[in-house]
PDB file of all heavy atoms in Angstrom:
ATOM      1  N   GLY E   1       0.785  -1.223   0.000  1.00 76.00           N
ATOM      2  CA  GLY E   1       0.000   0.000   0.000  1.00 76.00           C
ATOM      3  C   GLY E   1       0.818   1.275   0.000  1.00 76.00           C
ATOM      4  O   GLY E   1       2.023   1.282  -0.209  1.00 76.00           O
ATOM      5  N   SER E   2       0.123   2.333   0.256  1.00 62.00           N
ATOM      6  CA  SER E   2       0.725   3.658   0.166  1.00 62.00           C
ATOM      7  C   SER E   2       1.742   3.944   1.274  1.00 62.00           C
ATOM      8  O   SER E   2       2.572   4.827   1.123  1.00 62.00           O
ATOM      9  CB  SER E   2      -0.361   4.723   0.172  1.00 62.00           C
ATOM     10  OG  SER E   2      -1.089   4.665   1.373  1.00 62.00           O
ATOM     11  N   ALA E   3       1.694   3.200   2.356  1.00 70.00           N
ATOM     12  CA  ALA E   3       2.624   3.454   3.461  1.00 70.00           C
ATOM     13  C   ALA E   3       4.084   3.260   3.054  1.00 70.00           C
ATOM     14  O   ALA E   3       4.969   3.939   3.565  1.00 70.00           O
ATOM     15  CB  ALA E   3       2.294   2.554   4.642  1.00 70.00           C
ATOM     16  N   PHE E   4       4.319   2.335   2.116  1.00 65.00           N
ATOM     17  CA  PHE E   4       5.687   2.051   1.703  1.00 65.00           C
ATOM     18  C   PHE E   4       6.017   2.565   0.306  1.00 65.00           C
ATOM     19  O   PHE E   4       7.099   2.307  -0.198  1.00 65.00           O
ATOM     20  CB  PHE E   4       5.957   0.545   1.769  1.00 65.00           C
ATOM     21  CG  PHE E   4       5.905   0.001   3.162  1.00 65.00           C
ATOM     22  CD1 PHE E   4       4.790  -0.697   3.599  1.00 65.00           C
ATOM     23  CD2 PHE E   4       6.955   0.208   4.035  1.00 65.00           C
ATOM     24  CE1 PHE E   4       4.732  -1.189   4.893  1.00 65.00           C
ATOM     25  CE2 PHE E   4       6.906  -0.283   5.325  1.00 65.00           C
ATOM     26  CZ  PHE E   4       5.794  -0.980   5.755  1.00 65.00           C
ATOM     27  N   GLU E   5       5.101   3.266  -0.314  1.00 58.00           N
ATOM     28  CA  GLU E   5       5.308   3.713  -1.693  1.00 58.00           C
ATOM     29  C   GLU E   5       6.587   4.527  -1.864  1.00 58.00           C
ATOM     30  O   GLU E   5       7.365   4.282  -2.779  1.00 58.00           O
ATOM     31  CB  GLU E   5       4.109   4.533  -2.180  1.00 58.00           C
ATOM     32  CG  GLU E   5       4.284   5.002  -3.608  1.00 58.00           C
ATOM     33  CD  GLU E   5       3.113   5.843  -4.082  1.00 58.00           C
ATOM     34  OE1 GLU E   5       2.295   6.271  -3.257  1.00 58.00           O
ATOM     35  OE2 GLU E   5       3.043   6.070  -5.287  1.00 58.00           O
ATOM     36  N   GLN E   6       6.834   5.439  -0.975  1.00 64.00           N
ATOM     37  CA  GLN E   6       8.017   6.298  -1.124  1.00 64.00           C
ATOM     38  C   GLN E   6       9.320   5.508  -1.059  1.00 64.00           C
ATOM     39  O   GLN E   6      10.298   5.838  -1.715  1.00 64.00           O
ATOM     40  CB  GLN E   6       8.009   7.397  -0.082  1.00 64.00           C
ATOM     41  CG  GLN E   6       8.100   6.889   1.345  1.00 64.00           C
ATOM     42  CD  GLN E   6       7.924   8.000   2.349  1.00 64.00           C
ATOM     43  OE1 GLN E   6       7.947   9.167   2.003  1.00 64.00           O
ATOM     44  NE2 GLN E   6       7.739   7.642   3.606  1.00 64.00           N
ATOM     45  N   TYR E   7       9.333   4.424  -0.301  1.00 70.00           N
ATOM     46  CA  TYR E   7      10.541   3.612  -0.202  1.00 70.00           C
ATOM     47  C   TYR E   7      10.761   2.757  -1.451  1.00 70.00           C
ATOM     48  O   TYR E   7      11.871   2.585  -1.918  1.00 70.00           O
ATOM     49  CB  TYR E   7      10.487   2.713   1.033  1.00 70.00           C
ATOM     50  CG  TYR E   7      10.318   3.500   2.311  1.00 70.00           C
ATOM     51  CD1 TYR E   7       9.157   3.378   3.057  1.00 70.00           C
ATOM     52  CD2 TYR E   7      11.305   4.372   2.744  1.00 70.00           C
ATOM     53  CE1 TYR E   7       8.993   4.107   4.230  1.00 70.00           C
ATOM     54  CE2 TYR E   7      11.141   5.102   3.907  1.00 70.00           C
ATOM     55  CZ  TYR E   7       9.987   4.971   4.642  1.00 70.00           C
ATOM     56  OH  TYR E   7       9.822   5.685   5.793  1.00 70.00           O
ATOM     57  N   ILE E   8       9.693   2.192  -1.973  1.00 60.00           N
ATOM     58  CA  ILE E   8       9.795   1.328  -3.144  1.00 60.00           C
ATOM     59  C   ILE E   8      10.163   2.133  -4.377  1.00 60.00           C
ATOM     60  O   ILE E   8      11.047   1.758  -5.142  1.00 60.00           O
ATOM     61  CB  ILE E   8       8.474   0.558  -3.355  1.00 60.00           C
ATOM     62  CG1 ILE E   8       8.228  -0.381  -2.181  1.00 60.00           C
ATOM     63  CG2 ILE E   8       8.480  -0.202  -4.663  1.00 60.00           C
ATOM     64  CD1 ILE E   8       6.821  -0.931  -2.136  1.00 60.00           C
ATOM     65  N   VAL E   9       9.471   3.234  -4.574  1.00 61.00           N
ATOM     66  CA  VAL E   9       9.708   4.053  -5.757  1.00 61.00           C
ATOM     67  C   VAL E   9      11.123   4.625  -5.756  1.00 61.00           C
ATOM     68  O   VAL E   9      11.722   4.804  -6.809  1.00 61.00           O
ATOM     69  CB  VAL E   9       8.652   5.188  -5.835  1.00 61.00           C
ATOM     70  CG1 VAL E   9       8.981   6.183  -6.914  1.00 61.00           C
ATOM     71  CG2 VAL E   9       7.280   4.584  -6.079  1.00 61.00           C
ATOM     72  N   SER E  10      11.692   4.824  -4.604  1.00 70.00           N
ATOM     73  CA  SER E  10      13.005   5.456  -4.546  1.00 70.00           C
ATOM     74  C   SER E  10      14.152   4.548  -4.974  1.00 70.00           C
ATOM     75  O   SER E  10      15.208   5.033  -5.333  1.00 70.00           O
ATOM     76  CB  SER E  10      13.275   6.003  -3.134  1.00 70.00           C
ATOM     77  OG  SER E  10      13.386   4.932  -2.218  1.00 70.00           O
ATOM     78  N   PHE E  11      13.962   3.231  -4.964  1.00 72.00           N
ATOM     79  CA  PHE E  11      15.092   2.375  -5.355  1.00 72.00           C
ATOM     80  C   PHE E  11      14.748   1.229  -6.306  1.00 72.00           C
ATOM     81  O   PHE E  11      15.646   0.486  -6.712  1.00 72.00           O
ATOM     82  CB  PHE E  11      15.796   1.810  -4.119  1.00 72.00           C
ATOM     83  CG  PHE E  11      14.963   0.880  -3.286  1.00 72.00           C
ATOM     84  CD1 PHE E  11      14.882  -0.468  -3.592  1.00 72.00           C
ATOM     85  CD2 PHE E  11      14.261   1.352  -2.190  1.00 72.00           C
ATOM     86  CE1 PHE E  11      14.117  -1.329  -2.832  1.00 72.00           C
ATOM     87  CE2 PHE E  11      13.494   0.503  -1.418  1.00 72.00           C
ATOM     88  CZ  PHE E  11      13.419  -0.848  -1.739  1.00 72.00           C
ATOM     89  N   ASP E  12      13.498   1.075  -6.724  1.00 63.00           N
ATOM     90  CA  ASP E  12      13.159  -0.045  -7.608  1.00 63.00           C
ATOM     91  C   ASP E  12      13.910   0.007  -8.929  1.00 63.00           C
ATOM     92  O   ASP E  12      14.338  -1.008  -9.460  1.00 63.00           O
ATOM     93  CB  ASP E  12      11.650  -0.140  -7.839  1.00 63.00           C
ATOM     94  CG  ASP E  12      11.086   0.999  -8.664  1.00 63.00           C
ATOM     95  OD1 ASP E  12      11.735   2.053  -8.802  1.00 63.00           O
ATOM     96  OD2 ASP E  12       9.961   0.832  -9.176  1.00 63.00           O
ATOM     97  N   HIS E  13      14.115   1.199  -9.446  1.00 68.00           N
ATOM     98  CA  HIS E  13      14.817   1.349 -10.717  1.00 68.00           C
ATOM     99  C   HIS E  13      16.290   0.953 -10.610  1.00 68.00           C
ATOM    100  O   HIS E  13      16.854   0.417 -11.553  1.00 68.00           O
ATOM    101  CB  HIS E  13      14.664   2.776 -11.235  1.00 68.00           C
ATOM    102  CG  HIS E  13      15.013   3.819 -10.218  1.00 68.00           C
ATOM    103  ND1 HIS E  13      14.163   4.154  -9.180  1.00 68.00           N
ATOM    104  CD2 HIS E  13      16.114   4.566 -10.062  1.00 68.00           C
ATOM    105  CE1 HIS E  13      14.732   5.092  -8.447  1.00 68.00           C
ATOM    106  NE2 HIS E  13      15.917   5.356  -8.956  1.00 68.00           N
ATOM    107  N   TRP E  14      16.891   1.170  -9.458  1.00 77.00           N
ATOM    108  CA  TRP E  14      18.296   0.781  -9.273  1.00 77.00           C
ATOM    109  C   TRP E  14      18.444  -0.739  -9.234  1.00 77.00           C
ATOM    110  O   TRP E  14      19.377  -1.298  -9.818  1.00 77.00           O
ATOM    111  CB  TRP E  14      18.857   1.391  -7.985  1.00 77.00           C
ATOM    112  CG  TRP E  14      19.109   2.861  -8.124  1.00 77.00           C
ATOM    113  CD1 TRP E  14      18.354   3.872  -7.602  1.00 77.00           C
ATOM    114  CD2 TRP E  14      20.161   3.485  -8.854  1.00 77.00           C
ATOM    115  NE1 TRP E  14      18.889   5.090  -7.965  1.00 77.00           N
ATOM    116  CE2 TRP E  14      20.002   4.879  -8.728  1.00 77.00           C
ATOM    117  CE3 TRP E  14      21.232   3.007  -9.612  1.00 77.00           C
ATOM    118  CZ2 TRP E  14      20.861   5.793  -9.331  1.00 77.00           C
ATOM    119  CZ3 TRP E  14      22.094   3.916 -10.198  1.00 77.00           C
ATOM    120  CH2 TRP E  14      21.901   5.294 -10.053  1.00 77.00           C
ATOM    121  N   ILE E  15      17.520  -1.411  -8.566  1.00 66.00           N
ATOM    122  CA  ILE E  15      17.566  -2.877  -8.500  1.00 66.00           C
ATOM    123  C   ILE E  15      17.403  -3.467  -9.898  1.00 66.00           C
ATOM    124  O   ILE E  15      18.164  -4.340 -10.313  1.00 66.00           O
ATOM    125  CB  ILE E  15      16.487  -3.416  -7.537  1.00 66.00           C
ATOM    126  CG1 ILE E  15      16.790  -2.996  -6.104  1.00 66.00           C
ATOM    127  CG2 ILE E  15      16.379  -4.939  -7.645  1.00 66.00           C
ATOM    128  CD1 ILE E  15      15.664  -3.268  -5.126  1.00 66.00           C
ATOM    129  N   ALA E  16      16.390  -2.991 -10.633  1.00 63.00           N
ATOM    130  CA  ALA E  16      16.157  -3.495 -11.984  1.00 63.00           C
ATOM    131  C   ALA E  16      17.368  -3.230 -12.874  1.00 63.00           C
ATOM    132  O   ALA E  16      17.807  -4.104 -13.625  1.00 63.00           O
ATOM    133  CB  ALA E  16      14.909  -2.855 -12.579  1.00 63.00           C
ATOM    134  N   PHE E  17      17.934  -2.039 -12.782  1.00 76.00           N
ATOM    135  CA  PHE E  17      19.097  -1.687 -13.601  1.00 76.00           C
ATOM    136  C   PHE E  17      20.290  -2.594 -13.301  1.00 76.00           C
ATOM    137  O   PHE E  17      20.907  -3.145 -14.211  1.00 76.00           O
ATOM    138  CB  PHE E  17      19.484  -0.218 -13.372  1.00 76.00           C
ATOM    139  CG  PHE E  17      20.794   0.161 -13.996  1.00 76.00           C
ATOM    140  CD1 PHE E  17      20.923   0.249 -15.374  1.00 76.00           C
ATOM    141  CD2 PHE E  17      21.899   0.419 -13.210  1.00 76.00           C
ATOM    142  CE1 PHE E  17      22.125   0.589 -15.959  1.00 76.00           C
ATOM    143  CE2 PHE E  17      23.114   0.750 -13.780  1.00 76.00           C
ATOM    144  CZ  PHE E  17      23.234   0.849 -15.167  1.00 76.00           C
ATOM    145  N   VAL E  18      20.618  -2.766 -12.034  1.00 78.00           N
ATOM    146  CA  VAL E  18      21.782  -3.584 -11.659  1.00 78.00           C
ATOM    147  C   VAL E  18      21.597  -5.038 -12.100  1.00 78.00           C
ATOM    148  O   VAL E  18      22.507  -5.631 -12.694  1.00 78.00           O
ATOM    149  CB  VAL E  18      22.055  -3.490 -10.133  1.00 78.00           C
ATOM    150  CG1 VAL E  18      23.054  -4.530  -9.688  1.00 78.00           C
ATOM    151  CG2 VAL E  18      22.549  -2.092  -9.778  1.00 78.00           C
ATOM    152  N   LEU E  19      20.431  -5.620 -11.830  1.00 67.00           N
ATOM    153  CA  LEU E  19      20.211  -7.015 -12.214  1.00 67.00           C
ATOM    154  C   LEU E  19      20.270  -7.199 -13.724  1.00 67.00           C
ATOM    155  O   LEU E  19      20.931  -8.114 -14.226  1.00 67.00           O
ATOM    156  CB  LEU E  19      18.867  -7.512 -11.673  1.00 67.00           C
ATOM    157  CG  LEU E  19      18.777  -7.723 -10.175  1.00 67.00           C
ATOM    158  CD1 LEU E  19      17.354  -8.072  -9.763  1.00 67.00           C
ATOM    159  CD2 LEU E  19      19.737  -8.803  -9.717  1.00 67.00           C
ATOM    160  N   LEU E  20      19.597  -6.335 -14.478  1.00 67.00           N
ATOM    161  CA  LEU E  20      19.610  -6.464 -15.933  1.00 67.00           C
ATOM    162  C   LEU E  20      20.996  -6.187 -16.513  1.00 67.00           C
ATOM    163  O   LEU E  20      21.416  -6.847 -17.464  1.00 67.00           O
ATOM    164  CB  LEU E  20      18.561  -5.554 -16.564  1.00 67.00           C
ATOM    165  CG  LEU E  20      17.113  -5.974 -16.326  1.00 67.00           C
ATOM    166  CD1 LEU E  20      16.154  -4.897 -16.817  1.00 67.00           C
ATOM    167  CD2 LEU E  20      16.813  -7.299 -16.988  1.00 67.00           C
ATOM    168  N   ALA E  21      21.716  -5.226 -15.950  1.00 80.00           N
ATOM    169  CA  ALA E  21      23.067  -4.938 -16.435  1.00 80.00           C
ATOM    170  C   ALA E  21      24.016  -6.110 -16.171  1.00 80.00           C
ATOM    171  O   ALA E  21      24.842  -6.456 -17.027  1.00 80.00           O
ATOM    172  CB  ALA E  21      23.603  -3.661 -15.790  1.00 80.00           C
ATOM    173  N   LEU E  22      23.912  -6.729 -15.009  1.00 78.00           N
ATOM    174  CA  LEU E  22      24.759  -7.887 -14.705  1.00 78.00           C
ATOM    175  C   LEU E  22      24.463  -9.064 -15.626  1.00 78.00           C
ATOM    176  O   LEU E  22      25.372  -9.690 -16.177  1.00 78.00           O
ATOM    177  CB  LEU E  22      24.590  -8.311 -13.246  1.00 78.00           C
ATOM    178  CG  LEU E  22      25.229  -7.402 -12.194  1.00 78.00           C
ATOM    179  CD1 LEU E  22      24.825  -7.849 -10.794  1.00 78.00           C
ATOM    180  CD2 LEU E  22      26.732  -7.387 -12.345  1.00 78.00           C
ATOM    181  N   ILE E  23      23.192  -9.358 -15.788  1.00 71.00           N
ATOM    182  CA  ILE E  23      22.808 -10.476 -16.653  1.00 71.00           C
ATOM    183  C   ILE E  23      23.168 -10.171 -18.106  1.00 71.00           C
ATOM    184  O   ILE E  23      23.723 -11.008 -18.814  1.00 71.00           O
ATOM    185  CB  ILE E  23      21.305 -10.791 -16.487  1.00 71.00           C
ATOM    186  CG1 ILE E  23      21.038 -11.294 -15.068  1.00 71.00           C
ATOM    187  CG2 ILE E  23      20.845 -11.817 -17.510  1.00 71.00           C
ATOM    188  CD1 ILE E  23      19.579 -11.275 -14.666  1.00 71.00           C
ATOM    189  N   GLY E  24      22.858  -8.966 -18.557  1.00 75.00           N
ATOM    190  CA  GLY E  24      23.198  -8.565 -19.924  1.00 75.00           C
ATOM    191  C   GLY E  24      24.697  -8.536 -20.155  1.00 75.00           C
ATOM    192  O   GLY E  24      25.185  -8.978 -21.201  1.00 75.00           O
ATOM    193  N   GLY E  25      25.440  -8.028 -19.180  1.00 82.00           N
ATOM    194  CA  GLY E  25      26.904  -8.014 -19.294  1.00 82.00           C
ATOM    195  C   GLY E  25      27.485  -9.407 -19.415  1.00 82.00           C
ATOM    196  O   GLY E  25      28.422  -9.645 -20.187  1.00 82.00           O
ATOM    197  N   ASN E  26      26.919 -10.335 -18.670  1.00 76.00           N
ATOM    198  CA  ASN E  26      27.365 -11.722 -18.764  1.00 76.00           C
ATOM    199  C   ASN E  26      27.079 -12.300 -20.151  1.00 76.00           C
ATOM    200  O   ASN E  26      27.905 -13.013 -20.715  1.00 76.00           O
ATOM    201  CB  ASN E  26      26.696 -12.567 -17.681  1.00 76.00           C
ATOM    202  CG  ASN E  26      27.307 -13.940 -17.590  1.00 76.00           C
ATOM    203  OD1 ASN E  26      28.525 -14.093 -17.561  1.00 76.00           O
ATOM    204  ND2 ASN E  26      26.464 -14.949 -17.553  1.00 76.00           N
ATOM    205  N   MET E  27      25.933 -11.975 -20.710  1.00 70.00           N
ATOM    206  CA  MET E  27      25.606 -12.440 -22.059  1.00 70.00           C
ATOM    207  C   MET E  27      26.561 -11.848 -23.092  1.00 70.00           C
ATOM    208  O   MET E  27      26.992 -12.539 -24.018  1.00 70.00           O
ATOM    209  CB  MET E  27      24.158 -12.086 -22.425  1.00 70.00           C
ATOM    210  CG  MET E  27      23.124 -12.935 -21.731  1.00 70.00           C
ATOM    211  SD  MET E  27      21.443 -12.484 -22.193  1.00 70.00           S
ATOM    212  CE  MET E  27      21.386 -13.113 -23.868  1.00 70.00           C
ATOM    213  N   VAL E  28      26.884 -10.569 -22.953  1.00 80.00           N
ATOM    214  CA  VAL E  28      27.831  -9.928 -23.871  1.00 80.00           C
ATOM    215  C   VAL E  28      29.188 -10.616 -23.771  1.00 80.00           C
ATOM    216  O   VAL E  28      29.816 -10.952 -24.783  1.00 80.00           O
ATOM    217  CB  VAL E  28      27.951  -8.412 -23.581  1.00 80.00           C
ATOM    218  CG1 VAL E  28      29.122  -7.799 -24.324  1.00 80.00           C
ATOM    219  CG2 VAL E  28      26.649  -7.699 -23.927  1.00 80.00           C
ATOM    220  N   LYS E  29      29.635 -10.863 -22.550  1.00 83.00           N
ATOM    221  CA  LYS E  29      30.917 -11.550 -22.342  1.00 83.00           C
ATOM    222  C   LYS E  29      30.903 -12.921 -22.990  1.00 83.00           C
ATOM    223  O   LYS E  29      31.857 -13.314 -23.673  1.00 83.00           O
ATOM    224  CB  LYS E  29      31.207 -11.657 -20.843  1.00 83.00           C
ATOM    225  CG  LYS E  29      32.561 -12.267 -20.512  1.00 83.00           C
ATOM    226  CD  LYS E  29      32.760 -12.355 -19.019  1.00 83.00           C
ATOM    227  CE  LYS E  29      32.310 -13.746 -18.624  1.00 83.00           C
ATOM    228  NZ  LYS E  29      32.483 -14.083 -17.244  1.00 83.00           N
ATOM    229  N   GLU E  30      29.831 -13.671 -22.799  1.00 72.00           N
ATOM    230  CA  GLU E  30      29.733 -15.007 -23.373  1.00 72.00           C
ATOM    231  C   GLU E  30      29.699 -14.971 -24.896  1.00 72.00           C
ATOM    232  O   GLU E  30      30.188 -15.897 -25.546  1.00 72.00           O
ATOM    233  CB  GLU E  30      28.493 -15.727 -22.841  1.00 72.00           C
ATOM    234  CG  GLU E  30      28.633 -16.162 -21.407  1.00 72.00           C
ATOM    235  CD  GLU E  30      27.356 -16.819 -20.862  1.00 72.00           C
ATOM    236  OE1 GLU E  30      26.404 -17.035 -21.646  1.00 72.00           O
ATOM    237  OE2 GLU E  30      27.337 -17.105 -19.663  1.00 72.00           O
ATOM    238  N   SER E  31      29.142 -13.912 -25.479  1.00 73.00           N
ATOM    239  CA  SER E  31      29.080 -13.834 -26.937  1.00 73.00           C
ATOM    240  C   SER E  31      30.467 -13.694 -27.555  1.00 73.00           C
ATOM    241  O   SER E  31      30.688 -14.088 -28.692  1.00 73.00           O
ATOM    242  CB  SER E  31      28.199 -12.666 -27.379  1.00 73.00           C
ATOM    243  OG  SER E  31      28.854 -11.422 -27.196  1.00 73.00           O
ATOM    244  N   PHE E  32      31.429 -13.163 -26.797  1.00 81.00           N
ATOM    245  CA  PHE E  32      32.795 -13.004 -27.293  1.00 81.00           C
ATOM    246  C   PHE E  32      33.700 -14.177 -26.918  1.00 81.00           C
ATOM    247  O   PHE E  32      34.825 -14.249 -27.380  1.00 81.00           O
ATOM    248  CB  PHE E  32      33.415 -11.704 -26.765  1.00 81.00           C
ATOM    249  CG  PHE E  32      32.835 -10.475 -27.393  1.00 81.00           C
ATOM    250  CD1 PHE E  32      32.033  -9.623 -26.655  1.00 81.00           C
ATOM    251  CD2 PHE E  32      33.086 -10.174 -28.723  1.00 81.00           C
ATOM    252  CE1 PHE E  32      31.495  -8.483 -27.235  1.00 81.00           C
ATOM    253  CE2 PHE E  32      32.546  -9.042 -29.311  1.00 81.00           C
ATOM    254  CZ  PHE E  32      31.748  -8.195 -28.562  1.00 81.00           C
ATOM    255  N   SER E  33      33.223 -15.092 -26.100  1.00 74.00           N
ATOM    256  CA  SER E  33      34.074 -16.183 -25.634  1.00 74.00           C
ATOM    257  C   SER E  33      34.391 -17.188 -26.730  1.00 74.00           C
ATOM    258  O   SER E  33      35.418 -17.852 -26.681  1.00 74.00           O
ATOM    259  CB  SER E  33      33.434 -16.895 -24.442  1.00 74.00           C
ATOM    260  OG  SER E  33      32.330 -17.653 -24.871  1.00 74.00           O
ATOM    261  N   GLY E  34      33.506 -17.331 -27.701  1.00 62.00           N
ATOM    262  CA  GLY E  34      33.730 -18.276 -28.789  1.00 62.00           C
ATOM    263  C   GLY E  34      33.549 -19.724 -28.379  1.00 62.00           C
ATOM    264  O   GLY E  34      33.750 -20.629 -29.171  1.00 62.00           O
ATOM    265  N   GLU E  35      33.195 -19.974 -27.142  1.00 56.00           N
ATOM    266  CA  GLU E  35      33.002 -21.332 -26.654  1.00 56.00           C
ATOM    267  C   GLU E  35      31.624 -21.829 -27.030  1.00 56.00           C
ATOM    268  O   GLU E  35      30.653 -21.093 -26.991  1.00 56.00           O
ATOM    269  CB  GLU E  35      33.121 -21.374 -25.120  1.00 56.00           C
ATOM    270  CG  GLU E  35      34.470 -20.999 -24.591  1.00 56.00           C
ATOM    271  CD  GLU E  35      34.469 -20.958 -23.060  1.00 56.00           C
ATOM    272  OE1 GLU E  35      33.501 -21.426 -22.443  1.00 56.00           O
ATOM    273  OE2 GLU E  35      35.438 -20.435 -22.511  1.00 56.00           O
ATOM    274  N   GLU E  36      31.559 -23.087 -27.406  1.00 45.00           N
ATOM    275  CA  GLU E  36      30.264 -23.738 -27.602  1.00 45.00           C
ATOM    276  C   GLU E  36      29.861 -24.284 -26.241  1.00 45.00           C
ATOM    277  O   GLU E  36      30.479 -25.200 -25.726  1.00 45.00           O
ATOM    278  CB  GLU E  36      30.377 -24.874 -28.622  1.00 45.00           C
ATOM    279  CG  GLU E  36      30.465 -24.392 -30.048  1.00 45.00           C
ATOM    280  CD  GLU E  36      29.213 -23.648 -30.491  1.00 45.00           C
ATOM    281  OE1 GLU E  36      28.096 -24.082 -30.164  1.00 45.00           O
ATOM    282  OE2 GLU E  36      29.372 -22.620 -31.163  1.00 45.00           O
ATOM    283  N   GLU E  37      28.863 -23.727 -25.666  1.00 40.00           N
ATOM    284  CA  GLU E  37      28.442 -24.184 -24.356  1.00 40.00           C
ATOM    285  C   GLU E  37      26.968 -24.532 -24.362  1.00 40.00           C
ATOM    286  O   GLU E  37      26.197 -23.994 -25.136  1.00 40.00           O
ATOM    287  CB  GLU E  37      28.758 -23.152 -23.269  1.00 40.00           C
ATOM    288  CG  GLU E  37      28.623 -21.730 -23.695  1.00 40.00           C
ATOM    289  CD  GLU E  37      29.035 -20.769 -22.617  1.00 40.00           C
ATOM    290  OE1 GLU E  37      28.536 -20.868 -21.500  1.00 40.00           O
ATOM    291  OE2 GLU E  37      29.849 -19.907 -22.910  1.00 40.00           O
ATOM    292  N   CYS E  38      26.622 -25.430 -23.496  1.00 35.00           N
ATOM    293  CA  CYS E  38      25.230 -25.839 -23.364  1.00 35.00           C
ATOM    294  C   CYS E  38      24.557 -24.867 -22.405  1.00 35.00           C
ATOM    295  O   CYS E  38      24.989 -24.708 -21.268  1.00 35.00           O
ATOM    296  CB  CYS E  38      25.160 -27.268 -22.832  1.00 35.00           C
ATOM    297  SG  CYS E  38      23.484 -27.837 -22.569  1.00 35.00           S
ATOM    298  N   HIS E  39      23.509 -24.219 -22.859  1.00 42.00           N
ATOM    299  CA  HIS E  39      22.817 -23.232 -22.043  1.00 42.00           C
ATOM    300  C   HIS E  39      21.564 -23.781 -21.371  1.00 42.00           C
ATOM    301  O   HIS E  39      20.729 -23.020 -20.909  1.00 42.00           O
ATOM    302  CB  HIS E  39      22.452 -22.003 -22.883  1.00 42.00           C
ATOM    303  CG  HIS E  39      23.624 -21.175 -23.250  1.00 42.00           C
ATOM    304  ND1 HIS E  39      24.208 -20.292 -22.391  1.00 42.00           N
ATOM    305  CD2 HIS E  39      24.354 -21.123 -24.385  1.00 42.00           C
ATOM    306  CE1 HIS E  39      25.229 -19.706 -22.979  1.00 42.00           C
ATOM    307  NE2 HIS E  39      25.339 -20.198 -24.199  1.00 42.00           N
ATOM    308  N   ASP E  40      21.395 -25.111 -21.358  1.00 40.00           N
ATOM    309  CA  ASP E  40      20.212 -25.666 -20.707  1.00 40.00           C
ATOM    310  C   ASP E  40      20.167 -25.292 -19.229  1.00 40.00           C
ATOM    311  O   ASP E  40      19.107 -25.150 -18.661  1.00 40.00           O
ATOM    312  CB  ASP E  40      20.169 -27.190 -20.861  1.00 40.00           C
ATOM    313  CG  ASP E  40      19.785 -27.594 -22.271  1.00 40.00           C
ATOM    314  OD1 ASP E  40      19.245 -26.748 -22.996  1.00 40.00           O
ATOM    315  OD2 ASP E  40      20.029 -28.747 -22.620  1.00 40.00           O
ATOM    316  N   GLY E  41      21.338 -25.110 -18.598  1.00 43.00           N
ATOM    317  CA  GLY E  41      21.391 -24.698 -17.201  1.00 43.00           C
ATOM    318  C   GLY E  41      20.853 -23.306 -16.980  1.00 43.00           C
ATOM    319  O   GLY E  41      20.598 -22.903 -15.853  1.00 43.00           O
TER     320      GLY E  41
END
């Protein structure tokens, strides 16, 4: 509810940014590795 709105809105974008940047950065790194790897994991 509204009691916590100010806390959530103040940092939700930072959490989303960090998680997506880390995951995306890992994908970029893997694209340059040239290794054939199984991504089922």
